[in-house]
Amino acid sequence: MAETGNYLMVAALDFGTTYSGYSFSMRDEFVKDPLKIQANPVWKAGSRQFMSMKTPTCLLLDGKRECVAFGYDAENQWADLLLDGEHEEYYYFERFKMNLHNNKNITSGMMLDDITGTKRLPAFDVFKFSIQYLVNHLLDILKTRGNVVRHNEVQWVLTVPAIWTDRAKKFMRSCAEAVSE
């Protein structure tokens, strides 16, 4: 593990079964006040009246297997696609993290069924896209605040349940390591 002093920021991603979010601390702020930890306050749901510190752990991909949305945005866009009858080409995943806890035979080629049960994608891709979304969201939020931080200037921390098997933890780590700027 690299020395903490080499990073401008430490960011912790809480990739949850139901909800996900992140918190972070800039190095200069940490030196002044180690308990000053910031969290993302901008997850907005539905009519944008509801704000939450976390967003649902759900992912929407298009027919080309590219990320369309994550969290509340994924829920809303999936609902719109269903209502319009235009969902057949899309992949929607929710509550997929439990597959790592429930599956004793986790492999790099493990597949996940989308919510319809008619389409499958590699679990590695679903987890990687989700982690990538959270990373990009944080870096974009910082950029809008005028604080440009590059991916490699952050010491990333990813939460995993202690009860997971070593194989599940290793799988999650490999997904996170595959995330790039």
Side-chain angles (χ1 to χ4, degrees):
M1 182 185 297
E3 204 175 291
T4 309
N6 296 333
Y7 296 98
L8 295 178
M9 182 177 88
V10 173
L13 304 178
D14 181 13
F15 190 92
T17 301
T18 309
Y19 291 94
S20 294
Y22 54 79
S23 59
F24 60 95
S25 182
M26 303 301 290
R27 184 175 57 199
D28 60 332
E29 292 173 352
F30 177 80
V31 170
K32 294 175 195 169
D33 182 2
L35 298 179
K36 186 175 184 180
I37 299 169
Q38 298 181 51
N40 176 45
V42 298
W43 301 114
K44 297 177 184 173
S47 64
R48 306 279 184 199
Q49 301 281 338
F50 175 73
M51 293 178 65
S52 174
M53 297 293 281
K54 291 188 173 186
T55 193
T57 305
C58 52
L59 176 70
L60 179 64
L61 304 172
D62 65 16
K64 296 178 184 174
R65 300 178 181 180
E66 294 177 1
C67 184
V68 174
F70 184 85
Y72 289 117
D73 289 336
E75 283 183 340
N76 294 336
Q77 288 184 42
W78 177 249
D80 289 343
L81 289 165
L82 282 172
L83 289 172
D84 295 339
E86 298 175 358
H87 63 285
E88 285 85 11
E89 303 256 338
Y90 290 82
Y91 298 81
Y92 182 71
F93 297 91
E94 65 180 10
R95 301 192 199 291
F96 53 89
K97 181 180 166 189
M98 286 305 290
N99 285 283
L100 294 186
H101 176 63
N102 297 333
N103 190 339
K104 303 294 182 211
N105 299 313
I106 297 169
T107 65
S108 59
M110 185 172 84
M111 300 295 282
L112 291 181
D113 292 328
D114 80 335
I115 196 170
T116 67
T118 60
K119 296 183 288 281
R120 305 182 94 200
L121 284 180
F124 185 88
D125 292 346
V126 174
F127 281 87
K128 183 183 81 168
F129 288 144
S130 298
I131 295 167
Q132 180 77 62
Y133 182 89
L134 292 169
V135 166
N136 289 346
H137 192 273
L138 171 56
L139 295 176
D140 289 345
I141 290 294
L142 291 171
K143 194 181 300 181
T144 61
R145 295 179 182 173
N147 195 352
V148 178
V149 178
R150 292 190 308 266
H151 187 274
N152 64 348
E153 295 174 321
V154 179
Q155 181 175 22
W156 296 99
V157 178
L158 179 62
T159 62
V160 293
I163 62 170
W164 273 10
T165 65
D166 288 342
R167 189 175 271 186
K169 291 174 186 175
K170 183 178 179 182
F171 179 86
M172 192 70 155
R173 182 183 183 109
S174 66
C175 294
E177 288 174 342
V179 171
S180 61
E181 227 174 319

